[in-house]
Amino acid sequence: MRIFRGPRDGGQALVEFALVIPVFLLLLFGIIDLGRYVYTANGLNQAAREAARIGSVSLRPECAGNRDSCIRQVARSRVPGIVGTITFPAAANGEAVTAGRYGCFRLGSGGGTPTNVGVDSCRSGDLLRVRLENQFSLATPLIAQFIGNLTIGGEALVTVNQ
């Protein structure tokens, strides 16, 4: 005895699935890439804040060495799970704090914009800017072709208290 099951539409479902699955996967992996980007940005900002906090005081029991090496050591140890190299774009001597680079900045005798004096020359009242950067590459090939690699930065600006 044969039971009537209606028209066969197995082929139609397969075609619909084949049309929808690429869009679904692109959306899914795009969301995963967005999550990785946000995680990396938050990690770099948190590491910059902690490194700036350590660099702004004279007692640094967490690491040995000068202020610059201690800041770099703390920043690199606070970014677990971030792929790639963390760089510190350093300010040139005399560069202004508004350039947004890693360095210690001091007000001149007449005031004005603080200029870089070198991280190891920091003293009380100076501004310490810690900037970390990382090259972020997307895992989704189709999206990566259009966007390419992105530079993510995290930074903190604190007053040195020795």
Side-chain angles (χ1 to χ4, degrees), residues 107-119:
L107 278 172
S109 58
T113 304
T115 56
N116 183 32
V117 294
V119 175

Side-chain angles (χ1 to χ4, degrees), residues 32-64:
I32 290 171
D33 274 340
L34 179 64
R36 287 180 51 238
Y37 180 88
V38 170
Y39 175 81
T40 302
N42 285 339
L44 288 174
N45 277 315
Q46 179 64 25
R49 282 191 298 269
E50 290 189 31
R53 182 187 61 81
I54 290 293
S56 69
V57 295
S58 59
L59 295 174
R60 294 180 287 276
E62 293 188 25
C63 54

Side-chain angles (χ1 to χ4, degrees), residues 19-34 138-147:
L19 291 173
V20 170
I21 194 69
V23 175
F24 173 73
L25 290 176
L26 184 66
L27 183 64
L28 176 69
F29 287 107
I31 290 170
I32 290 171
D33 274 340
L34 179 64
L138 297 167
T140 309
L142 186 63
I143 299 173
Q145 286 180 346
F146 292 108
I147 296 177

Side-chain angles (χ1 to χ4, degrees), residues 71-131:
I71 289 171
R72 290 173 188 268
Q73 178 184 346
V74 167
R76 286 191 176 111
S77 70
R78 299 296 197 272
V79 286
I82 293 179
V83 178
T85 306
I86 304 225
T87 58
F88 296 79
N93 284 340
E95 188 173 20
V97 71
T98 54
R101 297 182 184 271
Y102 169 62
C104 189
F105 300 89
R106 183 173 300 148
L107 278 172
S109 58
T113 304
T115 56
N116 183 32
V117 294
V119 175
D120 289 328
S121 301
C122 273
R123 61 181 189 215
S124 290
D126 290 348
L127 297 174
L128 175 64
R129 179 185 295 273
V130 176
R131 174 146 180 91

